[in-house]
Amino acid sequence: MSTIRKLTNGNYQVDVTNYEGKRLRLTFSKKSDALALCSTIEKEKIDFKLVHHGVRRAKIKIANSIEEIILEKKSLAPKSYVKYKNVYETFHEFTKSKGLIYINDITSIHAEEFRKILTSSNISPKTINFYLTAAKSLFHSYVLKDVLAKNPFAPVKNEKVRRKTLLEREDDYFNNTEIANFFTQSMDQKYRQAFLGLFLTGMRISELINITWERIDWTNKIIQVRSNAGFTTKTHSSERDIPMSDLLFQTIQLLKKNSSSSYVFTSPSNGKLSERTLLSICKQISEEAGITKNATLHKWRHSFNSHLAQCGVDYSSRQYLMGHKPQSMTDHYTKINPSTLHSEVSKLDLLIPEPTSL
């Protein structure tokens, strides 16, 4: 029970025990505020009893659920973590603007309204779908925990993503001529070796700059992409073994001969490669090579995949080499032996102009 006592100074003192058994003693200048607190505490105690006896589902604060799921994403690669963090913080701001406190109070109407806000903003359909999928995943976890009866985002449909035209798809990667022109330009050998590494492996830049010598399998001519104490791969499926082409194997051998670093690919001063610096060099050399496309480091990854496809390498093999998450159960159970793909990736060597100065 709660009691309200009027003090000699005209204020009102509340003496109440909450649902956790903790005694609270607070003072208010208005009796209405004291009564409101008592009412809230009593309601919380009733709700707690109903939840305890299985009559009502537990209420989870949105702020707590957002904090928890952001913490869960900490294990992802830094860029992925930031993407998810932005999504959930944006959704939290939306719920606060609607005066929503508990995740149980969010309805499909709120979910649809959130979708409409996204579609009215200047972001791509692909990004909108990422927001919706992330939100749907959050609520799905509470359905599995029996906190929610249904997922409010379940009825919300993703935006249609327009298929790129052939010309637009060609802009996603460097063609034969552009690759040849790029590698005929004058550049520091360390940068050249790094660009060769990006193109001939399809590795993400974060993967390439974190490859250490202990991850080179000289016997099988394999580069092992693994998470370690200082680096986390984007997903579990990103951990993979990449076969080295003949040219890349020669390049790696030369790098080892002159190495004074624990990293395979380094800066001209043998320090750790900087993504920002390498991007700047990539744009500079592309301009000198007459390449008009937006020259990004990720475009080398697209080039690796696209040229392997043009060489006839099947989808499953390319999916494995790229470290992409399996899209179906069939993909999940398809096992690839990277040691059988050396001849396939070596086809990319033909796109590098000769004589190749290592």
Side-chain angles (χ1 to χ4, degrees), residues 172-224:
D172 287 340
Y173 67 95
F174 296 122
N175 61 35
N176 300 31
T177 303
E178 290 165 335
I179 291 170
N181 289 346
F182 184 94
F183 283 103
T184 54
Q185 301 306 308
S186 175
M187 69 184 89
D188 189 283
Q189 284 297 93
K190 289 289 187 178
Y191 292 136
R192 177 187 176 83
Q193 290 156 346
F195 291 125
L196 281 173
L198 286 172
F199 174 53
L200 296 176
T201 65
M203 281 192 286
R204 300 173 178 91
I205 180 60
S206 60
E207 295 170 342
L208 181 105
I209 64 179
N210 283 287
I211 291 294
T212 57
W213 287 111
E214 63 183 3
R215 290 304 174 192
I216 302 298
D217 180 347
W218 296 102
T219 303
N220 297 304
K221 298 183 179 180
I222 292 287
I223 296 177
Q224 302 168 339

Side-chain angles (χ1 to χ4, degrees), residues 113-131:
E113 189 173 351
F114 182 63
R115 184 194 69 80
K116 287 181 179 178
I117 290 173
L118 293 174
T119 55
S120 65
S121 60
N122 189 30
I123 55 179
S124 69
K126 185 177 179 181
T127 302
I128 291 172
N129 292 341
F130 179 75
Y131 272 70

Side-chain angles (χ1 to χ4, degrees), residues 69 88 103 132-154:
I69 197 164
Y88 291 123
I103 202 164
L132 296 177
T133 301
K136 190 175 295 186
S137 174
L138 168 65
F139 286 94
H140 180 65
S141 67
Y142 284 106
V143 172
L144 294 177
K145 295 173 186 175
D146 201 32
V147 173
L148 299 177
K150 59 183 179 180
N151 189 334
F153 273 84

Side-chain angles (χ1 to χ4, degrees), residues 267-284:
S267 68
S269 61
N270 287 318
K272 191 172 184 180
L273 271 174
S274 161
E275 178 178 348
R276 180 175 293 184
T277 300
L278 197 61
L279 174 60
S280 177
I281 297 295
C282 181
K283 289 184 179 295
Q284 175 191 327

